[in-house]
Amino acid sequence: MKFITVLFTLLVVSNTTLAQDTWRGLIIAPENRCSPYDKKSQYPYPQSVEDIIVANMGGIVYGPYTGRIFENDRKTDIEHILSTSEAHDSGLCAASPEVRKQFATDPLNLTLAAPEVNRCNPGGKCGFDAAEWMPEKNKCWFSNRIVELRQKYKLTIDINEARTLENTLRNCESFEMIMFEGRPEQSDLNAISNVQEPNISQKSALTLYDDNGNGKITCKEARAHGIAPVTQDHPAYQYMYDPDKDGVVCE
């Protein structure tokens, strides 16, 4: 009888260990920092990703978390929707440098936010997960994007975040980002007064990528700014040499 009881106990423990709880295809597990974290060295991204973010928003410098439209991108931070520290503790701590860089530069994970919203201020997003911080606006878009990113990079999720996201997602009719109507805040307009600062996406590509000022952009410069390969729809393309005329340079 004692032998049977011990055997039954071992089977229960074994089955519990093998069966992992999941939510929307994600393994539910506590956060685990399996290796040291250093954002600057492990998750690098060029400033030029800001151009891509603005272009994806139709050329508008917009903060989806608050619904604010900004006069220029000097007022915003590049923001990782799923923070690099959160991703690191959810599985990327064991990933290769290439995968970490891909995550840090993935347009799916990039948006803009005012510094006071993005950084570690009272009420700021900092490196919190969705159970610890949720945006004022675009909650459905934000929550769905968190799930998409965790699925894409095969990350785990802790139980509190899964519950928070589920409570939000089950009440959503759409996961599209909402572009709330509005004008730049008066403080922004006062700051620019008579000097109109152009949107960085409207500045000459030469200003952004022509490091030696010779009126051309080389593949070396394109790679240094993280924009290679450059396709013909990119503003830098017109200043580059495409010998085979296939619409792509620096492959």
Side-chain angles (χ1 to χ4, degrees), residues 80-101:
H80 288 95
I81 299 168
L82 177 58
S83 73
T84 55
S85 61
E86 177 67 21
H88 191 84
D89 295 348
S90 301
L92 289 191
C93 57
S96 67
E98 291 75 19
V99 171
R100 291 174 180 171
K101 182 177 181 180

Side-chain angles (χ1 to χ4, degrees), residues 189-197:
L189 294 174
N190 291 340
I192 61 170
S193 60
N194 296 325
V195 180
Q196 295 296 322
E197 174 69 20

Side-chain angles (χ1 to χ4, degrees), residues 83 89 94 109 114 119 129 145 171 173 177 211 240 243:
S83 73
D89 295 348
N109 194 30
R119 302 178 190 178
D129 66 24
R145 189 62 64 86
N171 295 313
E173 296 182 359
M177 180 195 295
D211 295 333
M240 303 185 73

